[in-house]
Amino acid sequence: SRGLGDVYKRQEEKKDDKKEEKKEKKKEEKKEVKKDDKKEEKKVEKKDDEKDAKKTEKKDGKKDEKKGEEKKDDKKEEKNVEKKDGKKKEEKKKGNKEKKDEEKKEEKEEKEEKEEKTRRMMMTTKRRKIKRRMKTRRMMTKEEKEDDKEEKKEKKDNNNKIVKKEKKDEDDEKKKEKKKDEDKKDDDDDEKKKDKKKDEDKKDDDDDEKKKEKKKDEDKKDDDDDEKKKDEKKDEDKKDDDDDEKKKEKKKDEDKKDDDDDEKKKDKKKDEDKKDDDDDEKKKEKKKDEDK
């Protein structure tokens, strides 16, 4: 009777163990479900973060493009202003040249008018002198006529010297004016060359800035590609880690199941051994009763 009682008690204890196992399984299933939910939430959060990052990158890229366009517009405006200023300077130079040419023409005309006036005055004075001389000649003697001839020669010589000096002075002035004009032309040519060099330098600077901007854009693109690759590698590593964790959990569950099966088999063997022992005891008691 005691042996049977122990057997029934053990069976009840096993039933309790089964209930506890079921409860533990349910708890583990709930934990797994919670883990899966958490993983899904993390994935969703990652996707949302990636979308937000892409949006921010697009906005930043648009802002950078707008800034680049604004810089280009500013440069174009500066170039237009410089062109306008250059045109204005050229117009001023042309206007100054025209004014100088007009002043020179006016001076030449004034000189010619003065010369004509002087010539007319000289002609009138000469005529008057000739008339006087004609009158005096009629009254002069031979000696006086010779003296008069000598005076005329001297006056002619003096007048010729004066005319030569005036011509030399005029030639010198013309040469000076030619030199000034040549110097001005040389200065204008030098200014034009300087302006051309400045324009070429500006073009070179603009080309260098454009190249630098292109390099910066290429570097940004390369950095973005590297970051994307790193993010992809991280995601792959995380997936591999998650897969490894799942495999480990599955192995643990399988090991637990195998342990449980081994324990059940051991318990069954123990129960069978006890039953056999009980049967042997019963047989021995029967034999004893028969012998008695």
Side-chain angles (χ1 to χ4, degrees), residues 272-292:
E272 290 175 356
D273 294 330
K274 285 180 181 179
K275 285 180 183 180
D276 294 329
D277 293 332
D278 293 331
D279 293 328
D280 293 329
E281 287 177 359
K282 286 179 183 179
K283 287 178 181 179
K284 286 178 182 179
E285 287 176 357
K286 284 181 182 180
K287 284 181 180 179
K288 286 179 181 180
D289 292 329
E290 289 175 356
D291 293 330
K292 286 180 180 179

Side-chain angles (χ1 to χ4, degrees), residues 12 39 70 89 184 204 212 227 238 248 273:
E12 287 175 359
K39 287 178 182 179
E70 288 176 356
K89 287 179 181 178
K184 286 180 182 179
D204 294 327
K212 287 179 181 178
E227 288 177 357
K238 286 180 181 179
K248 286 178 181 178
D273 294 330

